[in-house]
């Protein structure tokens, strides 16, 4: 129903999504985002397209949109990140505000899930202080006999947002929740929340716990991978892997090492990519099959996208901020 060349037309960008069925809207966003990453569509055209989906209610379409914002968060320079946060608030905020924090009578399960996805993105990628305040309010009632009952789909948004903004006190609180959980789901939720904190000292503690027995061996590779995938902890995580490789190689099974090394795809800077390639080549590390080659290819795609898109991304976000 569309041609990529037609996406150069701003009027078409405004009109097209409203003429399509949900599956077609999903295909449109997926295709244009893929074409943008490969250089076939200018990034500013894709970002213009995202503005037409502020009221989109299909969860699958939002999965692509939020994934693209996360990718941009991985390639953007730290000094420009506040401008990207503003774009996320602009795109996600209207529908998140309309849906609110409580399920409506008769709404579908997919809308209930979408509410959680949007609020989590708004609280973390969007750095939204209103979401943070509401998450603090809900968490303060957590576990109280007469406390507010929170929809289970919202807990990832609540815990993720609080970890993203968290300090030492919050880290210790979440660590205690992980060590003394009421349910297996709660244990994993709070364990993996420890990788979402921003302070380097706290992320270092989490990495250290993968070797001191506090974090189980089967969970350690996922924790390390997650920290390497964090824009706040990726350099720290990669340094940890390099320095502790021999110990990690002994401690984790082959499958665990493969899962851990998947985190290198988040090391999306030219300098980190060069260091990653040098390390694996000098060590002559074999993860089995084409696993490492695939990880390195994904990393190359991310770094190439960063190099090609940074100037236009910064210009677009700067212009958006002026309006």
């Amino acid at each position: 129903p569309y041609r990529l060349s037609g996406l150069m037309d701003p009027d078409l960008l405004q009109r097209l999504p409203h003429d399509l069925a949900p599956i077609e809207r999903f295909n449109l966003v997926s295709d244009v985002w893929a074409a943008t990453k490969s250089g076939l569509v200018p990034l500013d055209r894709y970002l213009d397209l995202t503005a037409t989906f502020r009221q989109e209610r299909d969860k699958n379409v939002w999965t692509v949109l939020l994934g693209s914002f996360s990718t941009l968060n991985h390639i953007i320079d730290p000094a420009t990140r506040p401008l990207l946060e503003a774009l996320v608030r602009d795109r996600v905020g209207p529908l998140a505000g309309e849906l609110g924090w409580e399920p409506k009578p008769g709404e579908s399960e997919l809308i209930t899930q979408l509410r959680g996805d949007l609020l989590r993105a708004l609280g973390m990628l969007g750095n939204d202080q209103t979401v943070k305040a509401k998450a603090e309010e809900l968490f303060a009632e957590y576990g109280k006999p007469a406390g507010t009952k929170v929809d289970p789909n919202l807990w990832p948004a609540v815990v993720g947002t609080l970890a993203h903004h968290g300090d030492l006190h919050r880290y210790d609180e979440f660590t205690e929740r992980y060590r003394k959980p009421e349910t297996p789901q709660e244990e994993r939720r709070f364990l993996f929340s420890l990788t979402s904190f921003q302070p380097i000292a706290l992320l270092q503690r989490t990495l250290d716990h993968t070797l001191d027995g506090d974090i189980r061996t089967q969970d350690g590779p996922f924790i390390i991978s997650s920290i390497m995938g964090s824009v706040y902890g990726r350099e720290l995580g990669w340094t940890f892997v390099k320095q502790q490789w021999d110990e990690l190689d002994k401690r984790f099974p082959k499958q665990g090492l493969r899962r851990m090394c998947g985190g290198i795809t988040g090391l999306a800077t030219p300098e980190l990519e060069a260091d990653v390639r040098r390390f694996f080549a000098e060590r002559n590390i074999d993860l089995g099959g084409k696993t490492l080659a695939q990880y390195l290819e994904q990393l190359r795609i991310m770094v190439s996208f960063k190099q090609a898109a940074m100037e236009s991304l910064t210009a677009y976000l700067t212009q958006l901020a002026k309006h």
Side-chain angles (χ1 to χ4, degrees):
Y2 59 87
R3 292 180 179 274
L4 293 180
S5 59
L7 294 173
M8 301 299 179
D9 180 357
D11 292 334
L12 179 63
L13 286 175
Q14 294 295 324
R15 185 176 68 253
L16 187 55
H18 305 289
D19 299 333
L20 302 177
I23 184 61
E24 293 173 323
R25 297 198 301 272
F26 171 79
N27 288 334
L28 170 65
V29 176
S30 299
D31 290 349
V32 178
W33 175 234
T36 300
K37 288 192 292 182
S38 64
L40 297 175
V41 171
L43 178 59
D44 60 350
R45 286 292 177 262
Y46 173 75
L47 293 175
D48 282 345
L49 180 65
T50 66
T52 69
F53 286 89
R54 290 187 180 96
Q55 296 301 321
E56 174 63 51
R57 287 175 171 265
D58 187 89
K59 184 179 186 297
N60 295 314
V61 174
W62 271 110
T63 296
V64 180
L65 293 168
L66 298 181
S68 70
F69 298 152
S70 179
T71 295
L72 295 177
N73 188 49
H74 272 81
I75 68 170
I76 202 165
D77 294 331
T80 315
R81 182 163 290 119
L83 298 180
L84 178 61
E85 293 169 350
L87 179 136
V88 172
R89 293 194 297 271
D90 176 78
R91 301 307 197 251
V92 178
L95 183 58
E98 182 180 332
L99 294 180
W101 285 80
E102 297 181 3
K104 307 296 191 299
E107 75 178 20
S108 69
E109 179 63 22
L110 289 177
I111 289 293
T112 303
Q113 294 172 7
L114 176 59
R115 174 185 291 105
D117 293 344
L118 295 179
L119 289 171
R120 188 174 189 272
L122 203 55
M124 299 179 72
L125 287 175
N127 200 27
D128 189 280
Q129 296 302 305
T130 301
V131 172
K132 174 177 177 287
K134 183 63 176 181
E136 290 173 340
E137 174 189 328
L138 293 175
F139 191 74
E141 296 294 310
Y142 182 74
K144 293 182 180 179
T148 302
K149 301 302 180 183
V150 179
D151 182 85
N153 291 290
L154 292 184
W155 274 119
V158 170
V159 174
T161 297
L162 294 182
H164 178 76
H165 295 273
D167 56 11
L168 175 60
H169 173 76
R170 185 72 71 186
Y171 182 91
D172 288 341
E173 183 179 25
F174 280 16
T175 300
E176 187 67 12
R177 295 280 188 181
Y178 150 64
R179 289 172 176 164
K180 298 178 180 179
E182 295 183 3
T183 66
Q185 293 81 4
E186 181 181 278
E187 176 186 25
R188 298 196 66 76
R189 179 182 298 125
F190 285 105
L191 169 60
F192 282 90
S193 76
L194 302 181
T195 69
S196 296
F197 284 77
Q198 296 184 42
I200 293 298
L202 300 182
L203 293 175
Q204 183 64 60
R205 284 175 58 176
T206 301
L207 289 169
D208 291 340
H209 287 323
T210 64
L211 294 179
D212 65 11
D214 187 70
I215 294 176
R216 291 189 296 265
T217 300
Q218 60 264 38
D219 293 326
F222 295 99
I223 295 296
I224 298 170
S225 177
S226 183
I227 290 178
M228 281 198 288
S230 162
V231 296
Y232 305 102
R234 56 188 171 191
E235 290 90 351
L236 179 73
W238 173 238
T239 298
F240 179 83
V241 167
K242 290 190 298 180
Q243 293 178 345
Q244 302 293 338
W245 180 265
D246 291 337
E247 179 62 27
L248 296 170
D249 191 19
K250 289 188 296 184
R251 182 178 296 264
F252 298 152
K254 196 73 166 183
Q255 183 64 23
L257 284 177
R258 283 195 289 269
R259 290 169 176 166
M260 180 187 74
C261 290
I264 67 174
T265 60
L267 304 176
T269 71
E271 298 77 15
L272 286 173
E273 182 196 12
D275 194 39
V276 166
R277 291 182 178 277
R278 183 168 50 249
F279 176 80
F280 282 104
E282 291 176 352
R283 288 276 190 147
N284 194 28
I285 294 170
D286 180 13
L287 297 178
K290 297 182 178 180
T291 300
L292 180 57
Q294 291 170 342
Y295 289 158
L296 293 175
E297 180 182 9
Q298 293 173 46
L299 176 57
R300 176 90 289 270
I301 291 171
M302 285 286 285
V303 173
S304 296
F305 182 47
K306 174 183 176 67
Q307 292 172 321
M310 270 307 303
E311 184 176 347
S312 60
L313 176 59
T314 301
Y316 185 95
L317 295 176
T318 301
Q319 189 65 27
L320 180 66
K322 292 178 180 179
H323 293 84

